[in-house]
Amino acid sequence: MLRAVLSVVLLGVVLTGVARANALKTCIAQVAEVDASNKRVFHSRMRDLIVREAPQFEELAGMYRDHQLALVDKRLRQLQYLLFTNPQQLSADETVSKLTNYDWNELDTARMAKVAPEYKALTERIAGLEARNNAHPDWPKLREFVAKDLSANTEFEALKAKLWTGRDAASAQLKSCRGG
């Protein structure tokens, strides 16, 4: 009888621990999605600002935005994969910047490709977008425009400030995932 009671108590403790771990992973995944969404908004609005300020770059600005959005999606998928397969590879103790700055290697790529075939297609799409961006004859001019003109633009500064404010909010949300 005592063994049965101890077994039930132990099972309850184990299940509670598993539930907490799953809740933490879910919370961290939500934070990562909020951060990715924040980046998507930034890159979309940056494209719109470039087009408004320098309409001659409309096509290239759209290609650049698409490339950046695909990179955001790739990193989010990688993080989600690691979160549920190898969470010790992630640093979820401090900030979203640290959380999203994880190591990814060829073994991770191979494993991810086995469980998520769409990952390979996304990676190929990113390579294609990057090649198109780099081969575009206006690419050096756009980079110069962003570095010189756009970086001095108050609306661009406001966009960057919103990006960092969003990151700070996501970091606070990450801290709350751990009960902090």
Side-chain angles (χ1 to χ4, degrees):
M1 173 76 166
L2 180 58
R3 259 191 178 164
V5 170
L6 287 175
S7 293
V8 169
V9 169
L10 182 58
L11 180 61
V13 169
V14 169
L15 290 177
T16 300
V18 169
R20 281 190 194 140
N22 286 337
L24 177 61
K25 287 177 184 179
T26 299
C27 186
I28 292 170
Q30 290 170 346
V31 168
E33 181 57 53
V34 165
D35 184 56
S37 178
N38 187 34
K39 290 174 186 174
R40 287 183 197 109
V41 168
F42 171 80
H43 288 295
S44 293
R45 290 187 179 158
M46 181 177 168
R47 178 254 172 226
D48 294 346
L49 181 59
I50 290 170
V51 170
R52 193 169 52 254
E53 296 295 317
Q56 70 273 22
F57 296 127
E58 182 173 7
E59 177 189 18
L60 183 55
M63 289 171 23
Y64 177 73
R65 178 214 46 221
D66 294 347
H67 180 243
Q68 293 303 309
L69 296 180
L71 287 172
V72 167
D73 288 344
K74 179 181 177 184
R75 290 296 284 181
L76 177 62
R77 288 176 192 223
Q78 289 173 342
L79 188 143
Q80 290 167 336
Y81 171 80
L82 290 175
L83 185 58
F84 289 94
T85 61
N86 195 10
Q88 62 274 15
Q89 204 167 328
L90 299 171
S91 174
D93 292 335
E94 296 179 31
T95 64
V96 169
S97 294
K98 287 191 178 190
L99 174 68
T100 59
N101 187 23
Y102 51 84
D103 291 328
W104 186 263
N105 57 48
E106 291 303 316
L107 182 58
D108 294 321
T109 296
R111 288 178 176 161
M112 176 111 170
K114 285 181 183 176
V115 297
E118 70 280 359
Y119 179 74
K120 182 180 180 191
L122 178 60
T123 301
E124 289 169 354
R125 180 171 179 261
I126 289 169
L129 287 166
E130 185 174 353
R132 284 183 59 210
N133 275 324
N134 292 341
H136 197 286
D138 286 339
W139 182 239
K141 292 175 189 171
L142 177 59
R143 286 191 355 219
E144 182 179 337
F145 170 77
V146 170
K148 289 183 179 177
D149 299 318
L150 200 61
S151 65
N153 182 300
T154 56
E155 193 174 344
F156 184 62
E157 289 299 316
L159 273 178
K160 289 191 307 186
K162 277 184 124 175
L163 178 68
W164 292 117
T165 299
R167 273 231 137 160
D168 291 344
S171 291
Q173 185 180 349
L174 179 62
K175 188 175 179 180
S176 74
C177 288
R178 294 198 175 273

